[in-house]
Amino acid sequence: MAPSAIAPVISAKSLDLTFQTADAPVHALKDVSLDILPGDFVSFIGPSGCGKTTFLRCIAGLETPTGGTLTVNGMSADEARRARAYGYVFQAAGLYPWRTISGNIKLPLEIMGYSKADQNSRVAEVLELVELSDFGGKFPWQLSGGMQQRASIARALAFDADILLMDEPFGALDEIVRDHLNEQLLELWARTDKTIAFVTHSIPEAVYLSTKIVVMSPRPGRITDVIDSPLPKERPLDIRDTPEFIEIAHRVREGLRAGHADD
Amino acid sequence: MGKWLPVLTVILAIFAGWYATVPFMNIKETLSALERAGAVVTPDSPIERRDAPSFALVVKNSFAVPATYAQDRPRLPAPHQVALDLWQTTVEKKITSKRSLVYHGWITLSATLLGFVIGTGGGILLAVGIVHSRAMDMSVMPWAIASQTIPILAIAPMIIVVLNSVGIQGLVPKAIISAYLSFFPVVVGMVKGLRAPDAMQLDLLKTYHATQAQVFWKLRLPASMPYLFASLKIGVAAALVGAIVAELPAGGARGLGGRMLTGSYYGQMVQIWSALVLAAVLAAVLVLLIGLAQRMTLKRMGLT
């Protein structure tokens, strides 16, 4: 590799994953190759069964590919998981009901052995980042769904991981809340320089957020199109009415339709 | 008031039914006693009375109904007779007396508490083992279930005799029988509670590269608390039953079980009823205390 080239944070080459089930093997991923560079915001979009969540779980070391190679920060995915290379945000906030919001954010810090003082300063910092500073002492049930999801993002940001993996984090929220959280997420990404991999089934969300959009299709799960977004890094919500935005959204829709041609 | 009205209604109905039943249960002995005292009863032949239905006897001798509530050894004592006996054997007797129910109640309670602690501790340990080891899951659970299908009345005397032959007697054998009954609900509840966290919550801890011990202390144990307390309530009541049953073959006429046994030997139904009522009160208080601990713990955990 030329020394001037930037090394990818996540690199997948000909990744295959086949689940052995009772009747027939399921090809969750077939020949998936993709490089994600530092500071990228990559969205994975596709219908259910296209392997977008499975691919994210492979990156996280929660699933083991049956073929191909996958490196995260230059290590194997499992080594990267052990090295705590990423924060993972699930579709459900999954906060512990017996811990306060601060307590929930401390959970990974306690497990990773951060000092008490460090824990407190980090909690304050990420609470401020997701605009929940006044809610640290509240229990999860006292917060709305959107606020709970913000707390779960704060939990994933609290420790030093420069990768953020997000699996349909706003899928269960209504559109107004989702718009607001999308805006906040972009701000947060600009402030933290994280590399973000984001799974979604919403075309506007994917186009609005991403620097790179990966379109996937099912049976077998594969990548059908990778779109580098020409949109600027600074993105107000009304950018969604510009011709460029509509153009990209159109290309994503075409890609999704092509993947369905065999149905 | 709205909360107590249904409770009072049920209690009132029980007492009404109880008082209504007493004459029919006690009429034969009452008539015999009255006849010995010179009263005229119908029919006057004891053999005819023995074969006559109680209902007919009460109807024909309605004058004797008040006396059915005041017998020395009634077949079915009236509530006020039980209450009087309870008063006399708890408040009016010194608690060191062999005839004090407080004395006997404490003997049973101490065995219950020791058994409950052993049973709960053992149950939690077993549940932890079952959740973390597939071998234990496969091997221990069937035995735990099988253990509960054996009638406790059959196994209690064996435990007493076996332990007595190695020189262990008194409190410990009774506590072991108590523990035998109380560990099971704790095992079942804790296994369910420790397995309550879903795949997503376990995956989350995996992304933190948490150790097994951290998963247990930070996730599984707190998640199991509501299940634990539900089990403890069943377990403590079972422990009390175990202690009382254990006192039946133990002889020596100590404890509430002993009171029930001697009561049945000597036809002292009042004594049996008093012991029963005290056992019920003890069970209610124990369950109430656990409920209190539950509310305090879950409140502190923010779960209520």
Side-chain angles (χ1 to χ4, degrees), chain B residues 39-63:
Chain B
V40 181
V41 300
T42 23
D44 55 5
S45 141
I47 295 177
E48 271 181 67
R49 281 206 304 275
R50 190 192 66 200
D51 296 335
S54 303
F55 182 73
L57 290 177
V58 171
V59 171
K60 284 181 196 154
N61 303 284
S62 53
F63 74 93

Side-chain angles (χ1 to χ4, degrees), chain A residues 43-58:
Chain A
S43 284
F44 297 89
I45 188 163
S48 42
C50 71
K52 52 192 193 295
T53 293
T54 308
F55 185 47
L56 202 69
R57 288 175 62 85
C58 285

Side-chain angles (χ1 to χ4, degrees), chain B residues 37 125 177 257:
Chain B
L125 285 181
I177 292 164

Side-chain angles (χ1 to χ4, degrees), chain A residues 165-176:
Chain A
L165 304 176
M166 307 180 86
D167 184 7
E168 295 191 36
F170 309 138
L173 304 173
D174 68 64
E175 192 134 356
I176 300 163

Side-chain angles (χ1 to χ4, degrees), chain B residues 3 13 17 23-24 63 75 102 105 110 125 134 137 145 170 214 263 282 297 303-304:
Chain B
K3 194 171 131 195
F24 302 100
F63 74 93
R75 187 178 290 180
V102 178
S110 53
L125 285 181
R134 195 172 150 69
D137 186 17
I145 293 167
Q214 286 171 328
L282 271 183
T297 309
L303 289 180
T304 45

Side-chain angles (χ1 to χ4, degrees), chain B residues 47 75 104 118 188 192 200 209 222-223 232-233 282 295:
Chain B
I47 295 177
R75 187 178 290 180
H104 290 287
I118 297 172
V188 173
K192 198 165 166 49
M200 196 206 81
H209 188 39
L232 289 184
K233 283 184 192 172
L282 271 183
R295 216 175 308 157

Side-chain angles (χ1 to χ4, degrees), chain A residues 30-83:
Chain A
K30 191 170 161 51
D31 198 23
V32 170
S33 298
L34 184 74
D35 280 348
I36 298 177
L37 301 178
D40 266 353
F41 195 128
V42 181
S43 284
F44 297 89
I45 188 163
S48 42
C50 71
K52 52 192 193 295
T53 293
T54 308
F55 185 47
L56 202 69
R57 288 175 62 85
C58 285
I59 296 171
L62 296 174
E63 304 282 354
T64 310
T66 45
T69 56
L70 174 66
T71 59
V72 178
N73 280 351
M75 297 173 267
S76 79
D78 201 53
E79 283 165 353
R81 177 179 69 79
R82 289 162 192 278

